[in-house]
């Protein structure tokens, strides 16, 4: 367990991890503070962050099991102590970590010969999937029989209840709990007097071990920012407010206004505040860059074409698309190789 002394800055907004621990392989805990905040701001941020932590972060889990020897979900198999339903419930609890892109299916298989215990370490995995806790229990084989189950995994977010009907191919859906954050709470500490009263926001995060609370906080923050990005864009046409037949014109705030200022001022501080999701990148390219910790224009320009080609799921067409956008919107280019 790690504990840091809480310090409050009265000048700039700062965040800090004040406690971090791993209670088990499937339960991580982190406690964070954000301060100093004006009165009312802590509650605004805390509510939004809690919803983003619980609903906007993707996770990977088993969503379907298939075996030709299983006639229905509530049957029992000779040589196996648990019923099929109990095995499905145990599979539901297995925590996976993967770098799958978006919603994607992948098959994994359990092939074990009894007697003995079947645990998560007996699952045959593709290279891009990892089991957080290999000791997770699945079933007990009481006789020397072969147990072979084909599993399907998916990366998504939220919670999905299984379909009530089984598929004709002998596969059985499993309730999908994609949420890697098991719980999130926020609390507020106020200090100061009168008009100078300020607040400290405390965030508590529990995860299932597929990512740390700090990683969850970072991912939730980025996803929350992405949801508000559209409000920074307006159509080219002006907005008019009518009041006693007088019109007030509000100038549009667009991404291209930032680019015009950027060409006049090439300081790195300007590049840090232009996010790649504000450009015209296709969603697939944007997500690949995001998973490689490339969030701003400065991050992108610090990479060469050779670096981008090393990103997983990245193609030469994607690099060409980025170069086209940089040339068109930024009047800039990427070097082919690292200097």
């Amino acid at each position: 367990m790690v504990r840091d002394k809480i310090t409050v800055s009265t000048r700039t907004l700062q965040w800090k991890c004040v406690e971090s621990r791993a209670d088990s392989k499937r339960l991580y805990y982190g406690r964070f503070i954000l301060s100093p905040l004006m009165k009312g701001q802590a509650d605004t941020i805390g509510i939004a962050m809690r919803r983003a932590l619980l609903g906007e972060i993707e996770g990977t889990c088993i969503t379907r099991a298939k075996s030709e020897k299983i006639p229905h979900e509530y049957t029992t198999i000779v040589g196996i102590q648990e019923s099929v339903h109990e095995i499905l419930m145990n599979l539901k609890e297995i925590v996976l970590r993967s770098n799958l892109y978006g919603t994607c299916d992948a098959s994994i298989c359990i092939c074990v010969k009894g007697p003995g215990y079947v645990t998560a370490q007996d699952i045959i995995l593709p290279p891009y999937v990892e089991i957080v806790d290999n000791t997770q229990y699945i079933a007990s084989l009481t006789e020397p029989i072969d147990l072979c189950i084909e599993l399907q995994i998916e990366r998504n977010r939220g919670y999905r209840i299984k379909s009530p009907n089984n598929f004709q191919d002998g596969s059985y859906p499993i309730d999908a709990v994609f949420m890697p954050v098991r719980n999130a709470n926020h609390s507020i500490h106020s200090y100061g007097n009168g008009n100078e009263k300020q607040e400290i926001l405390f965030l508590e995060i529990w995860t299932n071990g597929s990512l740390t609370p700090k990683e969850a906080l970072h991912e939730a923050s980025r996803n929350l920012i992405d949801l508000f990005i559209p409000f920074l864009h307006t159509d080219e046409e002006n907005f008019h407010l009518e009041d006693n037949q007088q019109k007030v014109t509000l100038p549009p705030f667009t991404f291209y206004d930032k680019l015009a200022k950027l060409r006049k001022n090439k300081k790195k501080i300007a590049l840090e505040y232009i996010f790649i999701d504000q450009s015209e990148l296709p969603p697939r390219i944007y997500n690949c860059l995001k998973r490689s910790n490339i969030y701003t224009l400065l991050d992108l320009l610090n990479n060469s074409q050779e670096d981008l080609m090393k990103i997983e799921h990245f193609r030469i067409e994607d690099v060409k698309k980025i170069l086209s956008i940089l040339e068109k919107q930024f009047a800039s280019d990427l070097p082919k190789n690292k200097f």
Side-chain angles (χ1 to χ4, degrees):
M1 184 173 64
V2 179
R3 287 181 181 270
D4 293 331
K5 184 178 179 180
I6 301 177
T7 58
V8 178
S9 169
T10 58
R11 294 184 179 179
T12 58
L13 197 63
Q14 297 179 345
W15 76 275
K16 189 175 184 180
C17 177
V18 295
E19 185 177 353
S20 176
R21 67 173 187 263
D23 294 332
S24 68
K25 290 183 178 180
R26 287 176 279 162
L27 184 59
Y28 286 16
Y29 171 80
R31 191 165 183 248
F32 308 87
I33 62 170
L34 180 67
S35 68
L37 297 165
M38 296 175 63
K39 185 177 180 181
Q41 288 182 336
D43 206 30
T44 301
I45 298 174
I47 293 173
M49 283 303 304
R50 184 177 186 275
R51 293 183 66 89
L53 285 164
L54 294 174
E56 298 297 329
I57 303 179
E58 289 187 345
T60 305
C61 63
I62 299 172
T63 57
R64 191 172 300 281
K66 178 181 178 181
S67 177
E68 298 178 354
K69 298 180 180 180
I70 301 177
H72 58 82
E73 180 179 345
Y74 297 97
T75 190
T76 57
I77 302 176
V78 177
I80 300 180
Q81 181 174 316
E82 289 80 10
S83 67
V84 174
H85 178 74
E86 290 173 324
I87 294 175
L88 294 178
M89 293 300 99
N90 291 336
L91 291 173
K92 175 184 174 181
E93 297 299 321
I94 292 179
V95 180
L96 300 174
R97 177 168 46 228
S98 77
N99 59 355
L100 290 174
Y101 170 73
T103 301
C104 183
D105 296 333
S107 295
I108 56 182
C109 188
I110 303 176
C111 287
V112 182
K113 187 172 184 177
Y117 296 105
V118 182
T119 61
Q121 68 178 355
D122 298 311
I123 299 177
I124 303 172
L125 295 169
Y128 46 80
V129 181
E130 178 185 354
I131 294 177
V132 172
D133 184 4
N134 286 326
T135 64
Q136 284 188 261
Y137 177 81
I138 297 176
S140 294
L141 306 184
T142 57
E143 298 180 14
I145 64 170
D146 291 328
L147 174 64
C148 195
I149 303 175
E150 184 178 349
L151 305 175
Q152 187 180 66
I153 66 172
E154 184 178 332
R155 182 178 177 88
N156 213 317
R157 64 182 184 180
Y159 180 81
R160 187 173 64 203
I161 300 177
K162 65 182 181 180
S163 172
N165 298 322
N166 298 332
F167 283 65
Q168 296 180 354
D169 60 356
S171 63
Y172 299 89
I174 300 174
D175 289 343
V177 184
F178 296 106
M179 300 177 293
V181 176
R182 290 295 182 235
N183 194 14
N185 290 330
H186 82 277
S187 57
I188 302 169
H189 171 71
S190 300
Y191 64 97
N193 297 313
N195 296 330
E196 297 182 356
K197 195 168 186 179
Q198 294 180 317
E199 297 177 337
I200 303 176
L201 172 65
F202 288 83
L203 276 172
E204 292 182 290
I205 303 173
W206 291 262
T207 69
N208 64 0
S210 62
L211 77 174
T212 65
K214 185 177 179 180
E215 291 171 336
L217 183 63
H218 182 270
E219 184 69 17
S221 301
R222 284 297 311 158
N223 291 339
L224 195 59
I225 291 172
D226 291 344
L227 292 176
F228 287 97
I229 286 296
F231 293 110
L232 298 179
H233 301 272
T234 61
D235 296 331
E236 293 300 328
E237 48 187 50
N238 297 329
F239 295 93
H240 301 284
L241 300 177
E242 294 189 9
D243 185 12
N244 297 327
Q245 297 181 348
Q246 294 181 354
K247 295 184 178 180
V248 179
T249 302
L250 302 180
F253 175 79
T254 66
F255 178 65
Y256 301 99
D257 295 333
K258 285 190 175 183
L259 297 181
K261 293 180 181 179
L262 176 60
R263 294 188 179 100
K264 297 179 181 179
N265 184 3
K266 295 184 177 180
K267 294 182 180 179
K268 288 186 177 181
I269 189 66
L271 300 176
E272 291 177 348
Y273 286 97
I274 298 182
F275 294 94
I276 58 173
D277 49 14
Q278 294 173 263
S279 63
E280 299 176 354
L281 287 173
R284 197 188 71 80
I285 297 179
Y286 163 69
N287 282 311
C288 286
L289 293 175
K290 179 180 173 183
R291 294 182 191 281
S292 298
N293 297 321
I294 298 176
Y295 301 108
T296 66
L297 179 58
L298 179 62
D299 297 336
L300 183 59
L301 294 178
N302 282 337
N303 287 269
S304 65
Q305 299 180 34
E306 184 182 17
D307 294 331
L308 295 183
M309 286 303 300
K310 294 178 182 179
I311 297 177
E312 190 169 6
H313 304 302
F314 227 68
R315 305 172 300 191
I316 185 65
E317 292 82 3
D318 302 331
V319 176
K320 291 180 179 179
K321 181 66 175 178
I322 291 176
L323 293 176
S324 174
I325 291 176
L326 287 176
E327 181 179 358
K328 177 183 175 182
Q329 300 179 2
F330 297 85
S332 183
D333 197 358
L334 296 176
K336 292 185 178 180
N337 302 298
K338 273 286 187 183
F339 294 105

